[in-house]
Amino acid sequence: MEQRRLGAHDIEVPVVGLGTWRRLEDAARAGEHIGVITAALDAGVRFFDSSPMYGRAEELLADALGDRRPDVVVADKIWTDSAEEGRRQLQRALAYFGGRVEVMQIHNLVAWRDHLRTLEEAREAGRIDLIGATHWSAAAFEELETVLKTGQVQTVQIPYNPFEREVEARILPLAQDLGLGVIVMRPFGEGELLNADPGDEAIGFLQPFGVRSWAQVLLKWVLSDPRCHVAIPATSRPGRVRENVAAGSPPWFGPEERETVARLAALRRKR
């Protein structure tokens, strides 16, 4: 799998990571969360994203990583409108992940001014490496730009897929200009894009790029934009983790292939 630096920073990660929104709890209910994380680690995944918003996901992730925790980059979040609770969430994350979190993000920009102060203090103390900001909605991108322009964050997490391309207008160019690490959530559009699968025949022309499934096509579509450093699809199935990882190696799509994939997805969406 290709490795990319998180923007201008020293942390380097394989381009396919793992998100934990909903799916890790789903796996835990089936007694398989350790199996999912182990499959990811064995396949070369080294970047894991979580949040206190995701129920027990932080705890489950920490449990499943076990003694392999030093081998990975953990991206966690603060998600609360209370500065005091934000400090508690940070302390809980540090406790889960061995006293250090590589990327600590302000989830959906909630109370971001308060949390920036908390995270800057933690960074100065060496408890976190990078500060990030996230948002899932294009309606919040103007505020997200404001946060990025403070110069106080080093990563940004955004939705990007053939159905959600708003970040191409301003967020991705700004992130590139500022040297920010870019983490891509929702590469499958929360499942909507997987339902737009045009079939094996329609994507057969992409086989020289090493893709054999629509999910792999969608991941390669995201990662073929070099401004994107790691994508974090979530899954509760070990087999799907391995399938996703297979999309993380070159060759990458060019502009023509990317636009063809976007057209195929749009055609299926209209049906």
Side-chain angles (χ1 to χ4, degrees):
M1 203 168 17
E2 183 168 291
Q3 308 263 329
R4 294 181 187 172
R5 288 175 63 195
L6 286 176
H9 310 290
D10 291 337
I11 294 177
E12 187 174 83
V13 294
V15 293
V16 178
L18 187 71
T20 59
W21 168 233
R22 293 181 177 172
R23 299 295 181 242
L24 199 59
E25 285 194 319
D26 290 345
R29 282 190 282 272
E32 295 182 351
H33 71 285
I34 292 177
V36 169
I37 300 302
T38 300
L41 290 164
D42 291 347
V45 172
R46 293 294 180 269
F47 187 96
F48 296 85
D49 178 86
S50 197
S51 171
M53 178 187 177
Y54 303 165
R56 295 179 59 224
E58 294 168 297
E59 174 190 356
L60 293 169
L61 174 60
D63 176 54
L65 288 174
D67 60 8
R68 298 176 77 173
R69 165 67 182 98
D71 301 332
V72 308
V73 172
V74 170
D76 208 339
K77 305 183 186 79
I78 289 177
W79 181 65
T80 174
D81 58 7
S82 161
E84 182 178 354
E85 175 58 22
R87 288 189 288 272
R88 285 195 290 266
Q89 288 181 357
L90 172 62
Q91 292 305 315
R92 283 196 294 270
L94 293 168
Y96 282 136
F97 298 112
R100 187 180 189 86
V101 175
E102 286 80 9
V103 184
M104 201 70 191
Q105 306 158 101
I106 302 169
H107 198 159
N108 293 338
L109 305 182
V110 177
W112 62 266
R113 290 177 179 84
D114 290 332
H115 301 323
L116 266 182
R117 287 190 286 271
T118 297
L119 294 182
E120 283 192 311
E121 291 172 1
R123 189 172 184 232
E124 290 172 3
R127 291 179 290 170
I128 64 176
D129 294 322
L130 304 177
I131 299 170
T134 85
H135 213 290
W136 64 273
S137 173
F141 284 174
E142 183 174 353
E143 185 179 12
L144 182 58
E145 284 185 59
T146 298
V147 177
L148 301 185
K149 289 176 180 177
T150 65
Q152 295 171 278
V153 301
Q154 294 80 48
T155 72
V156 61
Q157 184 176 148
I158 39 83
Y160 190 34
N161 59 64
F163 287 171
E164 296 177 280
R165 302 184 66 172
E166 293 88 348
V167 293
E168 293 177 339
R170 294 170 67 175
I171 298 297
L172 284 176
L174 179 61
Q176 185 177 40
D177 288 346
L178 296 174
L180 304 182
V182 174
I183 304 161
V184 177
M185 69 172 96
R186 293 164 57 144
F188 302 143
E190 291 196 327
E192 183 184 8
L193 270 157
L194 295 176
N195 294 329
D197 186 344
D200 292 345
E201 185 175 348
I203 65 173
F205 76 103
L206 295 171
Q207 286 193 6
F209 294 90
V211 291
R212 299 293 183 271
S213 70
W214 182 236
Q216 290 175 339
V217 168
L218 294 171
L219 273 175
K220 183 148 284 195
W221 184 93
V222 169
L223 295 169
S224 293
D225 187 325
R227 298 171 296 185
C228 300
H229 304 124
V230 59
I232 50 168
T235 183
S236 60
R237 293 182 287 170
R240 179 55 62 84
V241 172
R242 291 185 284 269
E243 178 185 346
N244 291 342
V245 164
S249 300
W252 302 109
F253 297 157
E256 183 177 346
E257 288 81 20
R258 293 185 87 240
E259 287 307 315
T260 300
V261 170
R263 285 197 299 272
L264 287 172
L267 285 171
R268 295 287 298 178
R269 191 181 203 183
K270 291 177 181 177
R271 294 184 180 182

